[in-house]
Amino acid sequence: MNKIIGFLRRQPPGRLIALGFAAVILLGSVLLIMPFSVQEGVEVRYIDTLYTSTSAVCVTGLIAIDAGDTFTPLGQAILAGLIQVGGLGVTSVGAGIIIAMGKRIDLKGRTLIREASNVDSSSGLVRLVKAILLTTLIFELAGAALSFLVFVQAYPPVRALGISLFHSVAAFNNSGFDILGNFQNLIPYQDDVLLNLVTCALIIFGGIGFLVIQEVVRKRFRWSKFSMHTKVVLTVSAALIVVGTLLIKLTEDVTWLGAFFHSVSARTAGFSTYPLGSFSNAGLLVLTVLMFLYMRYTKHGYEIAVVGDSIGTARYAGMKVNRIILRTVFLSACLIGLAAAFKVGTAGILSTAITDDVGWTGIIVAWLAKLNTGVIFLVSALIGVLQYGSAAAAATFAQVDSSFADMLQGVILFLVLAADFFTRFRVVIAKKEVERHG
């Protein structure tokens, strides 16, 4: 045990945060597969609980099993706890527990909190953690109380209370989980104004972050006194929501409420009140544009670009590289989950393949397009024509294998990789000189 503690003490803050997330995921997967977490008569594999625990801690909302039809109330409470830990961060939750026990946080702990919270100064970190936990508690309790007014109309009071608490935690942490069962998410409540607005409010306040909320309250909603960071976050968030609402309404047969809800939810939340599988290509394009605007015109998107281009430059500019990398991985998982929702539609099942070849094709498209948004559309169209032509040729000619398009994609990718490598680098064969002393 002493060796383990010594090993952990020697690790840098970023690595400790990652190890903390991994430990919580593994613990959650074990707790979720226990008999007290699984409903009677339901069989669950460990890979499913590991997947669910990872998705909950990383607040992505991806599911392989329905939480409402699989887990007992205790299992659902454990799942809500995992979402809460993922949303607040392992460091903040751990610091909150230490504070609640009346103990002091040492210098190493304060460094971890500073790294995880993306703040520059180590002063006032204990007050910061307390304020984060208190703000989270206020928003989630308020959201649960308002949601209860809706759910109590269809469920017994105790059950409605549990659903309301779970939904509030999931929405504020932008996770997209639900326990309504039957893979239906919030589709039965697509016309409920109160639940839609409460969910959107929780998503928005949970998405803009505690530091922005704190500054808005501290400066009494006076725009002129806000920092540039807060102004950018609020302006871009509002613009994305308004533009997204208008575009979704113009391209899809949904109500204004549904358009607003999906515009808010599209960025990170993962909730839906309409089957995303029924959205037209124009509607999916609108959601894609919202993702592009987030990457191109927000502070988070700029940080991702800088870190991806040069980690050294990002560190020199004072960016929290480890935090940005973790946040980007979680955001990528959210985008993958949204793409999976489009592909699954209302069927409620995922493909038996690991990625159904979507991930492989996505890598090829991204690399060939050099991450240029306009070129991505062109390359996607060409790959689509290639796949369609291969399928048609396989159906017409027995000599053509149905996997011909995949093989050709692989050849194209490796040729482009080789060309890119030899363009950027020069291979020099160095000869070792042997000194002879005579």
Side-chain angles (χ1 to χ4, degrees), residues 100-219:
M101 294 172 62
K103 296 185 178 181
R104 296 179 60 85
I105 300 177
D106 58 15
L107 181 60
K108 183 75 172 180
R110 292 174 183 268
T111 304
L112 282 174
I113 297 172
R114 188 188 66 202
E115 288 286 334
S117 303
N118 197 26
V119 294
D120 299 324
S121 176
S122 297
S123 62
L125 288 178
V126 174
R127 290 195 303 272
L128 175 65
V129 171
K130 289 180 179 180
I132 290 175
L133 297 177
L134 180 60
T135 302
T136 301
L137 183 64
I138 292 173
F139 272 98
E140 290 182 353
L141 287 179
L146 293 173
S147 300
F148 178 78
L149 299 177
V150 177
F151 291 123
V152 76
Q153 300 176 27
Y155 297 93
V158 176
R159 175 63 175 162
L161 178 62
I163 294 175
S164 301
L165 289 170
F166 187 97
H167 177 71
S168 185
V169 170
F172 187 72
N173 291 285
N174 286 205
S175 72
F177 275 90
D178 74 276
I179 54 174
L180 298 178
N182 199 29
F183 293 95
Q184 59 186 338
N185 209 274
L186 298 180
I187 294 175
Y189 298 93
Q190 60 184 220
D191 297 321
D192 193 296
V193 177
L194 177 59
L195 184 62
N196 276 254
L197 294 181
V198 168
T199 305
C200 287
L202 290 170
I203 293 170
I204 292 171
F205 283 110
I208 63 176
F210 169 77
L211 295 178
V212 174
I213 297 173
Q214 183 188 45
E215 183 173 348
V216 169
V217 174
R218 188 176 67 249
K219 296 183 178 179

Side-chain angles (χ1 to χ4, degrees), residues 143-434:
L146 293 173
S147 300
F148 178 78
L149 299 177
V150 177
F151 291 123
V152 76
Q153 300 176 27
Y155 297 93
V158 176
R159 175 63 175 162
L161 178 62
I163 294 175
S164 301
L165 289 170
F166 187 97
H167 177 71
S168 185
V169 170
F172 187 72
N173 291 285
N174 286 205
S175 72
F177 275 90
D178 74 276
I179 54 174
L180 298 178
N182 199 29
F183 293 95
Q184 59 186 338
N185 209 274
L186 298 180
I187 294 175
Y189 298 93
Q190 60 184 220
D191 297 321
D192 193 296
V193 177
L194 177 59
L195 184 62
N196 276 254
L197 294 181
V198 168
T199 305
C200 287
L202 290 170
I203 293 170
I204 292 171
F205 283 110
I208 63 176
F210 169 77
L211 295 178
V212 174
I213 297 173
Q214 183 188 45
E215 183 173 348
V216 169
V217 174
R218 188 176 67 249
K219 296 183 178 179
R220 299 180 180 180
F221 302 92
R222 286 178 286 189
W223 179 265
S224 60
K225 295 185 176 295
F226 292 163
S227 66
M228 180 59 66
H229 168 73
T230 298
K231 288 181 179 179
V232 169
V233 170
L234 294 177
T235 302
V236 173
S237 297
L240 288 176
I241 292 172
V242 172
V243 174
T245 300
L246 293 174
L247 292 177
I248 292 176
K249 178 59 180 175
L250 291 174
T251 56
E252 295 297 327
D253 185 20
V254 298
T255 63
W256 281 105
L257 181 62
F260 173 72
F261 184 92
H262 281 277
S263 180
V264 172
S265 180
R267 289 176 295 161
T268 56
F271 287 104
S272 62
T273 55
Y274 285 84
L276 294 179
S278 64
F279 272 35
S280 66
N281 290 332
L284 301 184
L285 180 61
V286 168
L287 296 179
T288 303
V289 171
L290 291 177
M291 302 294 180
F292 166 74
L293 293 175
Y294 172 82
M295 294 296 297
R296 188 69 179 268
Y297 297 106
T298 67
K299 177 176 177 289
H300 287 176
Y302 174 75
E303 290 175 341
I304 293 172
V306 174
V307 172
D309 185 63
S310 172
I311 290 181
T313 302
R315 293 188 190 279
Y316 180 79
M319 296 182 182
K320 309 297 183 182
V321 173
N322 293 327
R323 181 179 177 82
I324 294 170
I325 292 174
L326 287 173
R327 187 181 64 212
T328 305
V329 171
F330 298 159
L331 176 61
S332 301
C334 291
L335 296 178
I336 293 170
L338 191 61
F342 292 154
K343 191 169 185 63
V344 172
T346 58
I349 57 174
L350 295 175
S351 169
T352 54
I354 295 178
T355 62
D356 198 23
D357 295 330
V358 175
W360 168 250
T361 305
I363 293 173
I364 296 175
V365 170
W367 190 274
L368 292 179
K370 298 295 183 182
L371 300 181
N372 184 294
T373 306
V375 180
I376 283 177
F377 285 101
L378 176 61
V379 175
S380 299
L382 294 176
I383 293 294
V385 171
L386 175 63
Q387 292 180 338
Y388 178 80
S390 175
T396 306
F397 305 101
Q399 296 87 351
V400 179
D401 189 270
S402 59
S403 301
F404 176 74
D406 295 332
M407 293 186 291
L408 187 57
Q409 286 179 40
V411 172
I412 293 173
L413 176 63
F414 286 116
L415 288 177
V416 172
L417 285 172
D420 186 71
F421 175 82
F422 287 110
T423 301
R424 291 172 177 265
F425 305 100
R426 184 177 62 179
V427 178
V428 177
I429 301 176
K431 296 181 179 180
K432 185 177 181 180
E433 296 182 1
V434 179

